[in-house]
């Protein structure tokens, strides 16, 4: 995380890649204890990853990272449970299904097309090309006639938009 | 969406530096409080006996306000970290309580029980309870906006602390104007004004400081 905060993209990806399974471990028991299936697990994990990213400045590098990370995960998981209501009447079939088939998909219920559709035209193009296709943001930005700063802002806004979508999606479920 | 895709997306955004709430509040709250205080004192004027008989009581009020504000700002800076517990942000309420008891003790020690009720009730309760919250309003909104960049696990509590911090600085400004000098009056009504702002802050925090 220290490296990542200095702007080391490789270190950041490695870190988030290791954080994701850890978050599954933190969130899964919370979901099970609340009497819900694990259908939302990856959504909450992704929402927490996004929060880790957006709130990374609240981690004090002089303090240990793990308590901070777990606190973010707990906050997001509890928030998710609260928003969608603590369901007591769990359908045992869905429960055993989700228990039997552990979350192999590593995929949220929000699909990429839905996400892209919610972005404005420039953001959509930018995210589609850089994230989904994997081109460099500088190239795509140049193609769209955007400055480096404008690309940065658009990408950032797209993530904030995504955060709102996570909240809404849960509301409707 | 696959989680690896999200991670790519986040990594792409690494160059965008997020705002740092702990710095924002240190910067914006004093500016908002100073601006409000200057306007207020420009309108009503500083008490005229500031350098003579009013010096000591004013010092007490300013001191009270600063103690509350500093303790409360420290509390918000701690609590905006998600792993911080409410216990770690408790210094400010404690500071209010302690100053309140000290002032009551000072009052009784200086003048005894005779006329205590008169000193306690004073003549300007209404002004104290309306002007201090009004002076704290803009600083409170400003500090809540600064704290939105934080990630507190206790939105209502940190909102209350932002309220106390704003009220503390409002007390500094009001203390330079108000001529109601008995320590017991200051202890009870200034603190009550601060508590009112803290309550408003906690309600606003519950609403605005979720993330």
């Amino acid at each position: 995380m220290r490296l990542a905060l200095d702007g080391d993209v490789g270190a950041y990806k490695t870190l988030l890649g290791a954080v994701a399974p850890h978050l599954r471990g933190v969130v899964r028991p919370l979901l099970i204890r609340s009497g819900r299936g694990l259908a939302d697990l990856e959504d909450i994990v992704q929402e927490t990853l996004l929060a880790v990213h957006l709130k990374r400045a609240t981690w004090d590098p002089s303090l240990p990272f793990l308590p901070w990370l777990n606190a973010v995960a707990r906050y997001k998981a509890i928030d998710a449970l609260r928003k969608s209501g603590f369901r007591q009447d769990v359908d045992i079939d869905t429960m055993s299904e989700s228990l039997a088939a552990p979350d192999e998909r590593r995929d949220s219920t929000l699909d990429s097309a839905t996400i892209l559709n919610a972005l404005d035209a420039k953001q959509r193009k930018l995210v589609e090309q850089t994230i989904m296709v994997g081109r460099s943001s500088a190239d795509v930005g140049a193609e769209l006639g955007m400055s480096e700063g404008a690309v940065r802002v658009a990408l950032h806004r797209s993530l904030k938009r995504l955060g709102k979508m996570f909240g809404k999606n849960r509301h409707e479920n | 969406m696959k989680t690896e895709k999200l991670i790519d997306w986040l990594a792409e955004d690494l160059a965008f530096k997020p705002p740092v709430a702990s710095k924002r509040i240190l910067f914006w709250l004093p500016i908002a409080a100073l601006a409000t205080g200057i306007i207020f004192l420009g309108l009503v004027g500083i008490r005229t006996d500031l350098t003579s008989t009013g010096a000591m009581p004013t010092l007490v009020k300013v001191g009270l306000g600063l103690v509350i504000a500093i303790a409360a700002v420290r509390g918000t800076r701690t609590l905006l970290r998600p792993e911080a517990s409410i216990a770690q942000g408790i210094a400010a309420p404690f500071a209010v309580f302690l100053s309140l008891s000290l002032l009551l003790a000072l009052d009784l020690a200086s003048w005894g029980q005779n006329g205590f009720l008169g000193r306690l009730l004073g003549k300007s309760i209404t002004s104290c309870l309306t002007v201090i919250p009004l002076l704290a309003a803009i600083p409170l909104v400003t500090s809540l906006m600064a704290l939105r960049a934080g990630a507190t696990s206790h939105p209502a509590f940190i909102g209350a602390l932002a309220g106390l911090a704003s009220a503390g600085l409002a007390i500094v400004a009001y203390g330079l104007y108000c001529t109601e000098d008995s320590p017991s009056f200051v202890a009870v009504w200034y603190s009550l004004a601060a508590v009112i702002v803290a309550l408003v802050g906690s309600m606003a925090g519950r609403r605005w400081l979720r993330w």
Side-chain angles (χ1 to χ4, degrees), chain A residues 4 13 42 46 53 55-56 58 63 68 75-76 82 106-108 110 131-132 137 155-156 158-159 162, chain B residues 1-3 5-6 8-16 18 81-83 148-150 152 210-211:
Chain A
K13 280 193 186 179
E42 205 61 16
Q46 289 194 6
H53 173 74
K55 299 296 187 181
R56 63 193 186 278
T58 64
L63 298 172
W68 178 86
Y75 182 88
K76 278 295 167 188
R82 191 189 295 131
R106 308 277 185 256
D107 210 342
S108 63
L110 272 177
I131 313 302
M132 311 302 169
S137 61
L155 265 173
H156 189 69
S158 69
L159 279 174
L162 176 67
Chain B
M1 179 179 52
K2 292 231 180 291
T3 300
K5 282 290 170 206
L6 175 67
D8 290 345
W9 197 347
L10 300 180
E12 200 67 54
D13 186 49
L14 188 61
F16 190 99
R81 292 187 284 110
E83 77 274 28
R148 278 183 63 83
T152 185
R210 291 193 185 289
W211 45 284

Side-chain angles (χ1 to χ4, degrees), chain A residues 138-152:
Chain A
D139 288 353
V140 181
E143 219 166 76
L144 292 168
M146 297 166 81
S147 70
E148 211 175 301
V151 167
R152 237 188 342 246

Side-chain angles (χ1 to χ4, degrees), chain A residues 1-8 11 15 59-65:
Chain A
M1 189 64 167
R2 283 186 187 91
L3 287 174
L5 290 180
D6 289 337
D8 182 336
L15 174 85
W59 174 58
D60 178 346
S62 68
L63 298 172
F65 178 64

Side-chain angles (χ1 to χ4, degrees), chain B residues 46-60 176 179 181:
Chain B
I46 296 176
R47 61 187 294 173
T48 45
D49 60 353
L50 185 67
T51 48
S52 52
T53 46
M56 218 20 227
T58 307
L59 201 65
V60 167
L176 289 166
T179 50
D181 285 344

Side-chain angles (χ1 to χ4, degrees), chain B residues 15-91:
Chain B
F16 190 99
K17 294 277 170 266
V20 183
S22 56
K23 287 186 189 151
R24 276 197 166 183
I25 186 148
L26 278 190
F27 182 74
W28 288 109
L29 172 60
I31 288 184
L34 199 64
T36 320
I38 288 173
I39 293 171
F40 168 69
L41 292 172
L43 287 172
V44 300
I46 296 176
R47 61 187 294 173
T48 45
D49 60 353
L50 185 67
T51 48
S52 52
T53 46
M56 218 20 227
T58 307
L59 201 65
V60 167
K61 295 171 193 171
V62 169
L64 171 74
L66 286 178
V67 166
I68 294 175
I70 290 169
V73 168
R74 284 185 60 122
T76 62
R77 282 163 51 88
T78 303
L79 272 182
L80 58 81
R81 292 187 284 110
E83 77 274 28
S85 63
I86 286 183
Q88 290 173 275
I90 213 77

